[in-house]
Amino acid sequence: MKSGKFLAFNRRVLNAALASAVALGSVGVVGNAYAAVGTGVSTATVVPAITISASQRDLAFGRFLIDATVGGGTVIMSSASTGVRTKTGTGLTLVAATPGNSGQFTVTGDGGATYSIAVAQTTALTSGANTMNASTFTTTPSTPGTLSGTTGTSGTQIVYIGATLTVAASQAAGLYTGAYTVTVDYN
Amino acid sequence: MAASVSWAAAIAISNTQGLVFGRFVGGSGGDVTVSPAGGRSASGGVVLVPSGPGTAAQFIVSGDANLSYAISLPGNGVVVLASGANSMAVNNFTSSPSPTGTLGAGGSQTLSVGATLSVGSNQASGSYSGTFDVTVNYN
């Protein structure tokens, strides 16, 4: 009898101890079960602005002759690093001694970055009241360009410009000049 | 004496994606903001570089199904991104959901976090990084 009660008492105590042990265990394993903290990483990359130099070489079509009785034509300057000049129109004759050249700029910015290159569609060259239009501008590289080097260092690229000059049969002789715009933006 | 004990599964939070402000030109300075949805915008003289986009931070909050929880984000003046001796402050933390969330039937929910980065005038070029804490608790 005495031993029976003792056993019953022990059993109850043991059950209570187990319940509390389980509760303590769950809290002990996870710390505060009702709150948790997460950590994230945040990043940002600051790069220098992309810039384009002042013109380093004029886009020059050189000298040429027009025979008004035959007709006008076009003078084409390629965008190669050493520009190649060609022409159309039997009335137009290129003067070899003045071969002209492609235009040249240098673009600077974050190394390895790619960027778009945009050139105005049409530009007028004028000589007093007389005008000829340059159009169909081309570039080497063609857009997009890629700056030298790797990000975090300064990178550059030279851009060459070509175009097509339209010459009228009655185009007056003279020195014609104009300006064109090149715009670059990071991609 | 019969006793029953029931307790909620511990709430937990794990980070699965960082808060990325991406690539940009500092210029005359301004802000870059990433929303919890992941959209990036700039103000002032900052120019975003499209090929270096931003992302919102993502966390997975888990615990007992259908329970709600409160979200605590960093206050202002706490988080900084550094690159050597240079730094930029991150403020105006926002989240989705906000300000509380509710775990789904499966016991979890995705928590997205955005914020605003302050870029100084002539901010030094470089890669900046830092950390931030998010606290969740059953409510």
Side-chain angles (χ1 to χ4, degrees):
Chain A
M1 206 74 136
K2 190 175 176 182
S3 62
K5 277 188 187 174
F6 179 73
L7 280 167
F9 174 74
N10 279 352
R11 198 161 46 245
R12 286 199 294 276
V13 168
L14 186 58
N15 287 345
L18 270 171
S20 65
V22 169
L24 279 169
S26 66
V27 171
V29 164
V30 302
N32 183 345
Y34 299 93
V37 180
T39 300
V41 171
S42 180
T43 61
T45 305
V46 179
V47 297
I50 189 168
T51 60
I52 185 166
S53 67
S55 170
Q56 296 170 314
R57 185 172 70 202
D58 287 346
L59 168 51
F61 295 94
R63 295 170 73 94
F64 48 90
L65 308 171
I66 282 285
D67 184 344
T69 65
V70 178
T74 65
V75 180
I76 304 145
M77 176 56 63
S78 79
S79 61
S81 56
T82 299
V84 175
R85 184 173 68 156
T86 56
K87 64 97 177 182
T88 67
T90 50
L92 195 153
T93 305
L94 301 176
V95 175
T98 58
N101 216 335
S102 53
Q104 178 183 321
F105 296 84
T106 295
V107 181
T108 303
D110 189 40
T114 62
Y115 64 96
S116 62
I117 307 166
V119 189
Q121 293 303 299
T122 302
T123 294
L125 282 69
T126 61
S127 172
N130 305 305
T131 302
M132 288 187 284
N133 283 333
S135 61
T136 316
F137 282 82
T138 59
T139 66
T140 298
S142 53
T143 189
T146 303
L147 300 177
S148 62
T150 55
T151 185
T153 65
S154 181
T156 62
Q157 185 170 40
I158 297 176
V159 178
Y160 301 99
I161 317 289
T164 298
L165 185 68
T166 300
V167 185
S170 59
Q171 198 73 49
L175 173 63
Y176 290 70
T177 61
Y180 65 98
T181 302
V182 179
T183 304
V184 294
D185 286 291
Y186 283 127
N187 279 341
Chain B
M1 175 176 80
S4 65
V5 180
S6 68
W7 59 89
I11 194 168
I13 179 171
S14 68
N15 177 248
T16 55
Q17 185 170 291
L19 173 55
V20 176
F21 293 94
R23 184 178 295 264
F24 52 87
V25 176
S28 58
D31 290 339
V32 178
T33 297
V34 174
S35 73
R40 183 174 70 149
S41 61
S43 72
V46 175
V47 178
L48 302 177
V49 175
S51 60
T55 63
Q58 283 205 348
F59 296 82
I60 303 295
V61 182
S62 60
D64 248 25
N66 304 315
L67 289 192
S68 68
Y69 61 95
I71 302 159
S72 297
L73 302 174
N76 292 338
V78 174
V79 177
V80 162
L81 305 190
S83 171
N86 304 301
S87 64
M88 295 183 282
V90 183
N91 293 311
N92 297 327
F93 279 82
T94 56
S95 70
S96 175
S98 171
T100 64
T102 303
L103 301 177
S108 71
Q109 184 174 43
T110 297
L111 172 64
S112 299
V113 177
T116 297
L117 177 72
S118 294
V119 183
S121 170
N122 296 315
Q123 187 75 43
S125 295
S127 294
Y128 292 69
S129 72
T131 62
F132 64 97
D133 288 343
V134 173
T135 302
V136 292
N137 59 275
Y138 286 129
N139 58 0

